[in-house]
Amino acid sequence: MKKPISIIALLIFSLAYTAQNEAQDILNRILETGELRIGMSGDQPPFSMTATDGSLFGLDADMATGLANNIGVKAKLVKMRFKDLIPALQNGEIDMIVSGLTMTIDRNKKVAFVGPYLISGNSIITKSKEYSEAESVDVIDKKGVKIAVMQGTTSEEFVVANIENAQIYKSTTNNLAIKMLLEDKVDIVVAGYPTVAIALLENSSAGLYTIDQPFDYEPIGIAVAPSDPLLINLVQNYLHALERTEILDMLKVKWFEEGSWILDSPVIYQD
């Protein structure tokens, strides 16, 4: 009887050792190559945006670069479509996602989250004073109302789950949805509060309105591979340091309240 028990114990030890090594592989690779690959869409103001020279900037770009500097490696900001970010992390194409990513149960089944570093919520942009006074979705969920929303986002999930009568238009980017609103092709754009706030800043003379309070609240965090507890712990410590030193608050003021970057930084969007 002792021999089978020994074999089982050896197998358990081998599996545990292999799992530990695999968990360390990502962080070891980052340290060995001197490069941290961070995925972001580059089309989510003010989280990540693409400048005319192709470089990425924004709140998430600042945080990602700061994390890489903290580790002592170079930040490689990898631009890709929002819907491709989680598959890329699962496939090992990137080391983490910092891209205004809402922490949901469905996503948490696929990736681990650190945070939140920001609380958002689904809101609207509209030219209608009536819709801007909505306190519930029922006010905008009417036949004849046209609503645009970005594909692959929690805003899309929110619209699909709560809108039954209005017509839904799904766009590839928030910028395209807002463009449809400005051109009177839709009546409302549903998006996260940060997107709404920046859209109002960028189009201050377009007669746009929003609601006083978001319809719901969503935590936004950093996604990493669930098999990498060491990297998760490192990112947790980094976020904690940003909060304790109030650097995170300063970054939020810079990107959400000051708005000077809108004039200083030429931006291009992918439609």
Side-chain angles (χ1 to χ4, degrees):
M1 292 295 292
K2 290 183 178 180
K3 189 172 183 180
I5 292 175
S6 299
I7 293 174
I8 292 172
L10 182 60
L11 285 172
I12 292 173
F13 175 79
S14 298
L15 289 171
Y17 181 78
T18 301
Q20 183 179 12
N21 280 351
E22 288 177 352
Q24 294 176 344
D25 279 348
I26 299 177
L27 185 55
N28 286 338
R29 187 207 61 76
I30 292 170
L31 296 174
E32 289 171 4
T33 62
E35 182 178 81
L36 176 63
R37 305 168 301 173
I38 308 106
M40 55 187 64
S41 72
D43 192 37
Q44 292 173 268
F47 293 106
S48 67
M49 297 159 280
T50 305
T52 51
D53 63 359
S55 61
L56 297 173
F57 69 103
L59 171 66
D60 287 344
D62 280 356
M63 289 181 57
T65 302
L67 174 57
N69 291 339
N70 186 263
I71 299 174
V73 298
K74 177 183 177 182
K76 181 179 181 180
L77 306 184
V78 183
K79 179 180 177 180
M80 58 181 63
R81 292 181 300 178
F82 187 83
K83 67 178 183 178
D84 295 333
L85 288 169
I86 289 180
L89 179 60
Q90 291 177 303
N91 295 333
E93 298 171 34
I94 53 178
D95 302 312
M96 65 180 61
I97 302 169
V98 189
S99 191
L101 192 63
T102 303
M103 304 163 67
T104 68
I105 297 298
D106 285 341
R107 288 172 178 166
N108 222 158
K109 294 176 182 177
K110 304 172 184 176
V111 300
F113 278 104
V114 177
Y117 62 88
L118 189 76
I119 301 297
S120 180
N122 283 297
S123 186
I124 67 169
I125 315 166
T126 181
K127 290 184 178 181
S128 167
K129 186 71 174 175
E130 175 189 354
Y131 297 147
S132 71
E133 296 172 352
E135 295 183 358
S136 70
V137 180
D138 294 339
V139 177
I140 64 173
D141 187 19
K142 299 176 180 177
K143 289 185 178 180
V145 176
K146 299 176 181 178
I147 298 176
V149 65
M150 179 179 166
Q151 293 176 329
T153 63
T154 51
S155 293
E156 180 191 11
E157 294 175 6
F158 176 82
V159 167
V160 171
N162 293 279
I163 298 297
E164 297 179 356
N165 301 307
Q167 190 171 358
I168 301 171
Y169 293 81
K170 298 181 181 182
S171 64
T172 53
T173 68
N174 279 317
N175 185 62
L176 182 56
I178 295 167
K179 182 180 178 182
M180 293 171 69
L181 175 65
L182 294 174
E183 295 176 352
D184 297 319
K185 294 179 179 178
V186 296
D187 305 299
I188 295 168
V189 172
V190 175
Y193 173 75
T195 298
V196 170
I198 297 307
L200 294 177
L201 279 174
E202 290 182 321
N203 301 279
S204 57
S205 61
L208 300 181
Y209 300 96
T210 188
I211 51 180
D212 291 335
Q213 297 292 331
F215 291 128
D216 59 4
Y217 292 92
E218 299 180 328
I220 294 176
I222 296 174
V224 296
S227 62
D228 194 359
L230 297 180
L231 184 58
I232 291 172
N233 181 246
L234 189 152
V235 178
Q236 286 173 332
N237 292 338
Y238 173 67
L239 271 188
H240 184 64
L242 287 186
E243 292 170 350
R244 290 293 297 271
T245 58
E246 299 184 354
I247 292 176
L248 185 56
D249 289 336
M250 289 188 284
L251 288 174
K252 290 176 183 178
V253 170
K254 172 185 175 182
W255 293 107
F256 286 96
E257 297 179 23
E258 291 181 351
S260 58
W261 57 267
I262 295 175
L263 298 175
D264 297 337
S265 306
V267 183
I268 57 172
Y269 298 96
Q270 54 187 37
D271 291 342

